């Protein structure tokens, strides 16, 4: 009832043609935990109206909620800059990295950035991101939905080898073009240089 009200209200406010929503899409919305309550629901409905076709489907809902509520659960790094080998597990809420200068905190954040944007935030030459005297580097992230979809996970992997084009993989499927990946994992990085 509230979902249909928001669809009608938003479409009328914006002068858009009203959209339909499937019963499966409404069920998918009902499965989500709404920490922001009604305001959050209205914002999601507005974005679904913008992003979907003539009818809002369960696939639209799941994709949008997945994009907005993805959490990096695990990160595996091999030979990326000064990080020889690391496996990290992250909290849903807040994660702090503490250490002396040169210990790899920024490189760790850059590895996460790399998984989102298929490139380093600091170095445009991929081979220079590989640890000195090593032939290859690997970064792999396991992303999960928030508590609404705890069993749903997405593995994103990147392999960098000197003299060979880098490979990005989502699950077990290689990307043909990196542009297909960019935007899949929302990320904002703020650094002192900003």
């Amino acid at each position: 009832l509230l979902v249909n009200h928001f669809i009608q209200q938003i479409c009328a406010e914006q002068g858009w043609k009203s959209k339909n929503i499937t019963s499966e899409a409404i069920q998918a919305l009902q499965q989500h935990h709404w920490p922001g309550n009604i305001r959050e629901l209205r914002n999601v409905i507005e974005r679904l109206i913008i992003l979907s076709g003539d009818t809002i489907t369960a696939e639209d809902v799941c994709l949008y909620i997945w994009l907005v509520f993805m959490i990096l659960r695990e990160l595996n790094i091999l030979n990326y800059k000064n990080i020889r080998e690391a496996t990290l597990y992250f909290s849903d809420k807040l994660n702090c990295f503490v250490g002396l200068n040169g210990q790899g905190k920024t490189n760790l954040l850059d590895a996460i950035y790399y998984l989102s944007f298929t490139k380093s935030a600091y170095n445009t030459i991929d081979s220079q991101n590989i640890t000195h005297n090593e032939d290859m580097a690997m970064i792999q992230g396991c992303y999960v939905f928030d508590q609404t979809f705890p069993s749903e996970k997405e593995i994103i992997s990147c392999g960098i080898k000197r003299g060979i084009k880098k490979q990005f993989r989502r699950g077990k499927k290689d990307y043909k073009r990196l542009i297909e990946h960019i935007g899949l994992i929302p990320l904002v990085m703020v650094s002192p240089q900003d």
Side-chain angles (χ1 to χ4, degrees), residues 8-37:
Q8 299 304 321
Q9 183 183 47
I10 292 164
C11 288
E13 288 172 1
Q14 300 299 326
W16 298 332
K17 179 183 168 195
S18 184
K19 292 196 177 191
N20 296 318
I21 185 166
T22 66
S23 59
E24 293 84 8
I26 290 175
Q27 288 174 348
L29 287 167
Q30 289 172 337
Q31 291 176 3
H32 179 63
H33 171 70
W34 294 97
N37 296 329

Side-chain angles (χ1 to χ4, degrees), residues 2-192:
L2 199 53
V3 169
N4 286 318
H5 168 74
F6 283 145
I7 291 172
Q8 299 304 321
Q9 183 183 47
I10 292 164
C11 288
E13 288 172 1
Q14 300 299 326
W16 298 332
K17 179 183 168 195
S18 184
K19 292 196 177 191
N20 296 318
I21 185 166
T22 66
S23 59
E24 293 84 8
I26 290 175
Q27 288 174 348
L29 287 167
Q30 289 172 337
Q31 291 176 3
H32 179 63
H33 171 70
W34 294 97
N37 296 329
I38 292 175
R39 185 174 299 149
E40 181 184 1
L41 175 63
R42 188 183 193 286
N43 289 337
V44 167
I45 296 301
E46 184 170 12
R47 281 161 184 77
L48 286 169
I49 292 168
I50 293 167
L51 296 172
S52 67
D54 292 337
T55 301
I56 299 169
T57 66
E59 291 79 22
D60 296 327
V61 172
C62 291
L63 178 62
Y64 179 76
I65 289 176
W66 181 69
L67 288 173
V68 173
F69 300 103
M70 285 180 61
I71 298 167
L72 178 60
R73 177 70 62 215
E74 181 181 341
L75 181 66
N76 297 293
I77 303 173
L78 179 67
N79 299 329
Y80 187 76
K81 297 186 178 186
N82 73 337
I83 303 171
R84 291 269 180 201
E85 188 173 354
T87 298
L88 297 104
Y89 300 93
F90 299 102
S91 164
D92 292 1
K93 303 294 179 190
L94 179 67
N95 296 278
C96 297
F97 305 107
V98 180
L100 298 173
N101 287 341
Q103 297 295 305
K105 298 179 301 291
T106 301
N107 292 339
L108 174 66
L109 294 175
D110 192 42
I112 296 169
Y113 182 94
Y114 206 106
L115 286 177
S116 289
F117 293 103
T118 72
K119 65 180 184 175
S120 168
Y122 302 105
N123 194 342
T124 57
I125 302 170
D126 285 323
S127 63
Q128 291 180 359
N129 294 315
I130 300 171
T131 301
H132 184 66
N133 288 333
E134 297 293 342
D135 293 327
M136 56 82 66
M138 190 276 302
I139 309 168
Q140 182 180 62
C142 177
Y143 295 84
V144 296
F145 302 108
D146 68 354
Q147 56 271 32
T148 307
F149 303 104
S151 63
E152 297 288 327
K153 64 181 178 179
E154 193 75 54
I155 305 292
I156 305 296
S157 307
C158 175
I160 310 165
K161 194 166 185 177
R162 295 188 194 280
I164 298 176
K165 182 181 171 187
K166 63 186 161 193
Q167 289 186 303
F168 256 83
R169 179 176 285 178
R170 180 177 177 190
K172 296 181 180 185
K173 184 178 178 188
D174 287 343
Y175 283 104
K176 292 180 181 164
R177 297 176 38 214
L178 295 180
I179 193 70
E180 297 170 6
H181 176 73
I182 298 170
L184 177 70
I185 303 170
L187 178 88
V188 175
M189 185 167 175
V190 180
S191 69

